[in-house]
Amino acid sequence: MKLTIEKSELSSLTTLVYRAAAIRDTIPVLRGLLIEVSPDKGLTMTATDMEIGIRASTAQCNVLEAGSALVNAYYFADFIKSLPDTTITLELNQESSRLNVLYGRSSGFINIYQQMEYPNLPIDELKKCLSLPQKVLREALKKTVFAAAVTHFRQVFTGVLFDIKADKLNIVASDTHRLAFYTYTIDQPDIEPHSFIIPTRTVNELNRVLEDTDDTIDIAFTANNVVFYKDDFLLFSRLIEGQYPNYEQVIPSSFNTRLMFDSEALIKALERSRTMPLDDKLKIHSVQLNLRETEVQFNTHSDDMGEIEDVIEQVKVDGDFDFRIAFNTNYFLDAVKLFASESKFISIDLSGSLGPSVIKNPERNDCLCVLVPLRTSQ
Amino acid sequence: MGDRVILHADLNNFYASVECLHRPEIRDKPVAVCGDPAARHGIVLAKNYLAKATGIKTGEVIWQARQKCPQLLVVPPNYPLYLRFGRLARSIYSSYTDQVEPFGLDEAWLDVSGSIHIFGDGIRIADEIRERIKSELGITASVGVSYNKIFAKLGSDMKKPDATTIISRENFKQVVWPLPAGELLYVGRATRHKLARRGISTIGDIAGADPGYLRSFLGKWGEVLWSFANGYDSSAVVHQGEESLIKSVGNSITTPRDLESDEDVQMIFYVLSESVAARMREHGFKCRTVQIQIRDKDLFSFGVQGKFSKPTYLSSDLAEKAMELFRINYSWTNPIRSVGVRGCDLVSADSHEQLSLFENEAWRIKQDKIEATVDVLRYRFGHFSIQRAVLLKDNELGVINPKEDHVIHPVAFFKEGRLP
């Protein structure tokens, strides 16, 4: 195996792939990055820890001899990243089990792994089911994944749900305290209703390759696995097993109050509120909203440190007012930030002090965040 | 820095005084509060002065006491009432200082060093406390005033009832040293004998002995007692709240008959959970974890615990989780003899509670109100004024009230068994 390639090209391909390798694993080959070189496909790299797997190729290289090698993924990536911007030669020396890396007058080598046991990605029996514009999937994931739980005893809450029904694809994430919902109309008449849950790690890797274009990415799945693929790139992932709870039921459809805030002013008030340190009594950042006829007072309090009373004037209040409702400040801010960049206004729909609220861009109905309030002791 | 001003308040004949207060008809008779002979607890716990005059001592069995005083009136203890009076007394103490350290139900140390410029010197505060206890609670207290905890306690024992005793640096050699060694805190029968065999019979003898010599036959305690006797004790009066850092709230019970079915166990879980939940609410806690403890007929025992998705003080949550844990972990190889439920991993109930999308929050809020209402009903009309229907199925198991049978033991002078 031998090829020459520009450093920038090699480095970006490596960066895309290596994180799928196992950091530590009882099976050493899973820590590997598989490098394959062929005249028709150019350079292909694969890494997998069997939870997720990434394969990507580039034709922008000069293949001198076909072949393959398996190297430690994290070390190889670190090393390649640090190389100077020049043409790099990768050359396998079978006898000494080394991958030689030549750059200018300098060189290094990396010991290779035995490649016999390297697993194939379980992608053979997959059938394509869905194509989405990359920018749609990108936005959908960005607007939902933040709401998934980092850890939860019900594993489904650590993933993002893809729910295909009729002509809709609903993408949902929730940690039970908040829920982010995104819906997209798909024009594929033959599609079968189906749903699957992908881990947040997969979402984060996917977000790295999705571009802001109308070019599509294809999705295929079996009962246990899903694959996202486009030209020269493929991401395989295990699915999270389990039944996602009925999310449609918990998205409220009617409200008693609608608040319309200036996005900028709302973000400023919440960021100020979050500066308040936590005290022993209240272990989460919280802010209490006091609704008046045309304004909302934001109250933040810590027994130890102090108190902030922020008044946002000129809030459009439709429906009931003169009540208080408290939220986890971080959750609130996450939701508001989702829409602040695209809209001058943010709407918040409420049903009393304890009912779930809905935060969204008032101009859009395809995307929203449900936020459950805090129950205060007063 | 000047000397500390420490008070030790001792409610005189506490249990007996409270009983006499509540039953005017027995006030002029010799009275002893005794445990239940049927449960083999039949000893004298407290007695009034008329009973004391006949020579009855705390700890005697009822028939011994009766021999000394045939007309003795024996009354059963009413712990909830004593607990309430203990609390009321403590709330009087707390109006003078935040350093109040209870020692059992009826005794407490107060460090009033910081408050003497507000309320007057130690003697004035002591007299005022006695006056208030008499007029507000209807019982009496003896108070010792000194510059350390040990002498303050000795002081409160010297003149009874309803008296203030001062032990100062100037007078302690005349007042304390002639007292028998056994009066000193932590000189029990064994130590007293060891001392007596070496000719040490008074506190003054201890003070005068060589600390190394005391150590040779009493160990570390020798030096501690020597410093007590000389007034060198410098242990602090614990701040309020600090003394009872509650880590968990639990109840366990050896049931009146062996438990033989899931239904039996469930009933007991409800009984225990109600008590644990009520006590958590009383102290302002919620728990994140519940533990169960099971002991079978052969005394084989095991414990398991499970986590809640969020903190709770609802008895239904506790009981259901307990039952879930029990079902998974017990296969009925043997009937069960005793069962315990404990809420741990406590958090303040004051904090905000994050509601959840996928749980029935309306039901929880309602359940909260129901249990709070049950607390109020039981407070006003007694524990058995309201019961779960499931407990009516068995009149042996359903009538247990672990919350009020829960006995408080006096705390140790040294926290966690540490020596100073």
Side-chain angles (χ1 to χ4, degrees), chain B residues 7 13 91 117 147 190 203 233 250 272 278 355 400:
Chain B
L7 272 50
N13 304 335
S91 77
H117 63 280
Y147 58 95
I203 296 179
D233 166 53
L272 295 173
L355 301 179
I400 304 163

PDB file of all heavy atoms in Angstrom, chain B residues 7 13 91 117 147 190 203 233 250 272 278 355 400:
ATOM      1  N   LEU B   7     -25.014  27.403  80.751  1.00  0.00           N
ATOM      2  CA  LEU B   7     -26.127  26.985  81.601  1.00  0.00           C
ATOM      3  C   LEU B   7     -26.462  25.529  81.297  1.00  0.00           C
ATOM      4  O   LEU B   7     -26.323  25.098  80.154  1.00  0.00           O
ATOM      5  CB  LEU B   7     -27.377  27.832  81.297  1.00  0.00           C
ATOM      6  CG  LEU B   7     -27.576  29.148  82.058  1.00  0.00           C
ATOM      7  CD1 LEU B   7     -26.334  30.002  82.005  1.00  0.00           C
ATOM      8  CD2 LEU B   7     -28.773  29.908  81.498  1.00  0.00           C
ATOM      9  N   ASN B  13     -37.905  15.772  87.369  1.00  0.00           N
ATOM     10  CA  ASN B  13     -38.790  14.593  87.268  1.00  0.00           C
ATOM     11  C   ASN B  13     -39.646  14.652  86.017  1.00  0.00           C
ATOM     12  O   ASN B  13     -40.866  14.542  86.070  1.00  0.00           O
ATOM     13  CB  ASN B  13     -39.744  14.532  88.469  1.00  0.00           C
ATOM     14  CG  ASN B  13     -38.983  14.538  89.763  1.00  0.00           C
ATOM     15  OD1 ASN B  13     -37.815  14.130  89.794  1.00  0.00           O
ATOM     16  ND2 ASN B  13     -39.615  15.015  90.797  1.00  0.00           N
ATOM     17  N   SER B  91     -37.618  25.645  72.816  1.00  0.00           N
ATOM     18  CA  SER B  91     -37.919  26.907  72.140  1.00  0.00           C
ATOM     19  C   SER B  91     -37.770  28.076  73.116  1.00  0.00           C
ATOM     20  O   SER B  91     -37.434  29.184  72.721  1.00  0.00           O
ATOM     21  CB  SER B  91     -39.299  26.860  71.487  1.00  0.00           C
ATOM     22  OG  SER B  91     -40.287  27.011  72.463  1.00  0.00           O
ATOM     23  N   HIS B 117     -24.811  40.522  77.565  1.00  0.00           N
ATOM     24  CA  HIS B 117     -24.966  41.979  77.530  1.00  0.00           C
ATOM     25  C   HIS B 117     -26.373  42.380  77.095  1.00  0.00           C
ATOM     26  O   HIS B 117     -26.754  43.533  77.202  1.00  0.00           O
ATOM     27  CB  HIS B 117     -23.915  42.618  76.624  1.00  0.00           C
ATOM     28  CG  HIS B 117     -24.020  42.195  75.197  1.00  0.00           C
ATOM     29  ND1 HIS B 117     -23.520  40.997  74.745  1.00  0.00           N
ATOM     30  CD2 HIS B 117     -24.589  42.798  74.133  1.00  0.00           C
ATOM     31  CE1 HIS B 117     -23.769  40.887  73.456  1.00  0.00           C
ATOM     32  NE2 HIS B 117     -24.408  41.960  73.055  1.00  0.00           N
ATOM     33  N   TYR B 147     -18.754  27.907  84.071  1.00  0.00           N
ATOM     34  CA  TYR B 147     -17.935  28.342  82.940  1.00  0.00           C
ATOM     35  C   TYR B 147     -17.563  27.159  82.056  1.00  0.00           C
ATOM     36  O   TYR B 147     -16.778  27.311  81.136  1.00  0.00           O
ATOM     37  CB  TYR B 147     -16.688  29.088  83.436  1.00  0.00           C
ATOM     38  CG  TYR B 147     -15.812  28.268  84.360  1.00  0.00           C
ATOM     39  CD1 TYR B 147     -14.727  27.555  83.876  1.00  0.00           C
ATOM     40  CD2 TYR B 147     -16.093  28.209  85.726  1.00  0.00           C
ATOM     41  CE1 TYR B 147     -13.940  26.802  84.727  1.00  0.00           C
ATOM     42  CE2 TYR B 147     -15.307  27.459  86.576  1.00  0.00           C
ATOM     43  CZ  TYR B 147     -14.230  26.761  86.073  1.00  0.00           C
ATOM     44  OH  TYR B 147     -13.457  26.005  86.918  1.00  0.00           O
ATOM     45  N   ALA B 190     -18.903   0.987  87.096  1.00  0.00           N
ATOM     46  CA  ALA B 190     -17.616   0.305  86.934  1.00  0.00           C
ATOM     47  C   ALA B 190     -16.468   1.236  87.301  1.00  0.00           C
ATOM     48  O   ALA B 190     -15.567   0.873  88.072  1.00  0.00           O
ATOM     49  CB  ALA B 190     -17.459  -0.204  85.511  1.00  0.00           C
ATOM     50  N   ILE B 203     -15.000  13.923  93.880  1.00  0.00           N
ATOM     51  CA  ILE B 203     -14.513  14.582  92.674  1.00  0.00           C
ATOM     52  C   ILE B 203     -13.185  15.283  92.982  1.00  0.00           C
ATOM     53  O   ILE B 203     -12.261  15.302  92.177  1.00  0.00           O
ATOM     54  CB  ILE B 203     -15.575  15.575  92.152  1.00  0.00           C
ATOM     55  CG1 ILE B 203     -16.826  14.787  91.725  1.00  0.00           C
ATOM     56  CG2 ILE B 203     -15.032  16.386  90.990  1.00  0.00           C
ATOM     57  CD1 ILE B 203     -17.967  15.634  91.206  1.00  0.00           C
ATOM     58  N   ASP B 233     -12.626  21.330  81.300  1.00  0.00           N
ATOM     59  CA  ASP B 233     -13.412  20.946  80.125  1.00  0.00           C
ATOM     60  C   ASP B 233     -13.676  22.173  79.269  1.00  0.00           C
ATOM     61  O   ASP B 233     -14.111  23.206  79.753  1.00  0.00           O
ATOM     62  CB  ASP B 233     -14.744  20.330  80.569  1.00  0.00           C
ATOM     63  CG  ASP B 233     -15.732  20.242  79.416  1.00  0.00           C
ATOM     64  OD1 ASP B 233     -15.346  19.682  78.369  1.00  0.00           O
ATOM     65  OD2 ASP B 233     -16.868  20.737  79.554  1.00  0.00           O
ATOM     66  N   GLY B 250     -35.826   6.512  59.289  1.00  0.00           N
ATOM     67  CA  GLY B 250     -36.281   5.142  59.085  1.00  0.00           C
ATOM     68  C   GLY B 250     -37.084   4.626  60.264  1.00  0.00           C
ATOM     69  O   GLY B 250     -37.006   5.157  61.362  1.00  0.00           O
ATOM     70  N   LEU B 272     -45.168   1.486  58.016  1.00  0.00           N
ATOM     71  CA  LEU B 272     -43.853   2.083  58.235  1.00  0.00           C
ATOM     72  C   LEU B 272     -43.646   3.313  57.352  1.00  0.00           C
ATOM     73  O   LEU B 272     -43.121   4.324  57.800  1.00  0.00           O
ATOM     74  CB  LEU B 272     -42.748   1.051  57.951  1.00  0.00           C
ATOM     75  CG  LEU B 272     -42.701  -0.148  58.894  1.00  0.00           C
ATOM     76  CD1 LEU B 272     -41.677  -1.169  58.399  1.00  0.00           C
ATOM     77  CD2 LEU B 272     -42.351   0.269  60.313  1.00  0.00           C
ATOM     78  N   ALA B 278     -44.229  10.880  57.288  1.00  0.00           N
ATOM     79  CA  ALA B 278     -44.689  11.950  58.183  1.00  0.00           C
ATOM     80  C   ALA B 278     -43.505  12.580  58.903  1.00  0.00           C
ATOM     81  O   ALA B 278     -43.437  13.794  59.079  1.00  0.00           O
ATOM     82  CB  ALA B 278     -45.696  11.396  59.188  1.00  0.00           C
ATOM     83  N   LEU B 355     -40.955  19.712  37.842  1.00  0.00           N
ATOM     84  CA  LEU B 355     -42.035  18.819  37.429  1.00  0.00           C
ATOM     85  C   LEU B 355     -41.616  18.055  36.176  1.00  0.00           C
ATOM     86  O   LEU B 355     -40.689  18.433  35.488  1.00  0.00           O
ATOM     87  CB  LEU B 355     -43.306  19.632  37.162  1.00  0.00           C
ATOM     88  CG  LEU B 355     -43.813  20.444  38.358  1.00  0.00           C
ATOM     89  CD1 LEU B 355     -45.059  21.214  37.976  1.00  0.00           C
ATOM     90  CD2 LEU B 355     -44.100  19.546  39.535  1.00  0.00           C
ATOM     91  N   ILE B 400     -50.436  -0.841  64.470  1.00  0.00           N
ATOM     92  CA  ILE B 400     -49.114  -0.397  64.911  1.00  0.00           C
ATOM     93  C   ILE B 400     -48.947   1.081  64.570  1.00  0.00           C
ATOM     94  O   ILE B 400     -49.371   1.534  63.523  1.00  0.00           O
ATOM     95  CB  ILE B 400     -48.019  -1.215  64.196  1.00  0.00           C
ATOM     96  CG1 ILE B 400     -48.246  -2.702  64.449  1.00  0.00           C
ATOM     97  CG2 ILE B 400     -46.648  -0.790  64.668  1.00  0.00           C
ATOM     98  CD1 ILE B 400     -47.493  -3.578  63.483  1.00  0.00           C
TER      99      ILE B 400
END
